Amino acid sequence: MSAEQEERQPEDEFEATAPAEELPPRTEEEQAIEEVEAWKDRALRAQAEMANMRRRLDTEVEQRTRRRLEGLLHDLIMVGDHIGLALGSIPEPVRAAEGADGFLLGMDAIRTAFEGVLRQHGLEQIAPQADAEFDPALHEAVQTETESGLEVARLELMRCGYRMGNHVIRPAQVRIVQPA
């Protein structure tokens, strides 16, 4: 084969079998219309990408804000726990002492106001009743006991849990007492 024949050889089978039809030349107007359509398509795709990016950014900001709020609420819940423990650990002689009533009422008012602030910001207490069924989504079993003479299992609250809407910030810690 000569060099001219090699140059004229089709590069793939499609070229060899395709008919030798040529498309009619496009007018400048047709080319301009195609170019405008291509730019419109690019603009629409860019708009869609921007909308998707905004949605992703909004979702990320919302998730980050929620995580920070949950962290703060978790820390505040611990402060509330400590207030409750402090009030519960005051010995009876101190409670009965002269002038203790004002102090105890003030501390109880602080605890009540604190719990009100948590409720105001959407935090709900999880405090199951004794006859409630154990729910692993809301409760954390910290101890299991058996008791003779018991007909059905019961829950004993060890520490209140909290949730915000459907999201559990801290599960309620419970002791499960089962029939023997």
Side-chain angles (χ1 to χ4, degrees):
M1 236 192 255
S2 69
E4 264 184 48
Q5 288 176 338
E6 282 183 19
E7 285 181 24
R8 301 180 102 203
Q9 288 288 342
E11 291 185 17
D12 59 35
E13 291 181 26
F14 181 73
E15 281 186 38
T17 59
E21 282 184 37
E22 287 190 28
L23 296 174
R26 296 182 302 171
T27 64
E28 285 184 31
E29 184 178 336
E30 290 172 334
Q31 289 175 350
I33 289 172
E34 280 184 23
E35 191 173 332
V36 166
E37 291 300 319
W39 280 108
K40 281 182 182 178
D41 183 58
R42 288 180 188 154
L44 288 173
R45 289 176 190 272
Q47 280 181 324
E49 182 60 32
M50 285 295 293
N52 289 338
M53 193 168 60
R54 279 190 197 109
R55 261 188 254 118
R56 279 193 305 268
L57 182 61
D58 289 346
T59 301
E60 288 174 12
V61 167
E62 182 179 306
Q63 288 173 348
R64 193 176 315 125
T65 302
R66 189 179 69 238
R67 280 193 307 268
R68 286 182 179 168
L69 177 61
E70 287 173 5
L72 174 64
L73 290 174
H74 191 270
D75 292 346
L76 290 175
I77 289 168
M78 294 300 293
V79 171
D81 288 345
H82 291 278
I83 291 171
L85 289 171
L87 284 171
S89 69
I90 298 173
E92 191 55 42
V94 174
R95 289 179 183 272
E98 192 176 319
D101 289 342
F103 172 76
L104 293 173
L105 286 173
M107 288 299 293
D108 193 47
I110 291 170
R111 182 182 50 125
T112 303
F114 184 78
E115 290 172 354
V117 167
L118 294 180
R119 275 193 308 277
Q120 181 183 351
H121 289 281
L123 213 61
E124 299 174 46
Q125 232 182 28
I126 302 171
Q129 301 296 320
D131 61 344
E133 193 171 309
F134 179 79
D135 182 353
L138 301 175
H139 309 133
E140 177 184 357
V142 293
Q143 191 175 12
T144 304
E145 296 178 357
T146 57
E147 187 177 299
S148 60
L150 195 62
E151 292 182 23
V152 292
R154 75 171 187 264
L155 299 180
E156 292 179 3
L157 182 64
M158 304 293 286
R159 186 169 80 167
C160 285
Y162 291 89
R163 69 178 168 194
M164 181 176 265
N166 292 331
H167 185 71
V168 175
I169 304 293
R170 182 180 80 187
Q173 292 183 343
V174 295
R175 176 186 300 132
I176 301 173
V177 183
Q178 299 176 334

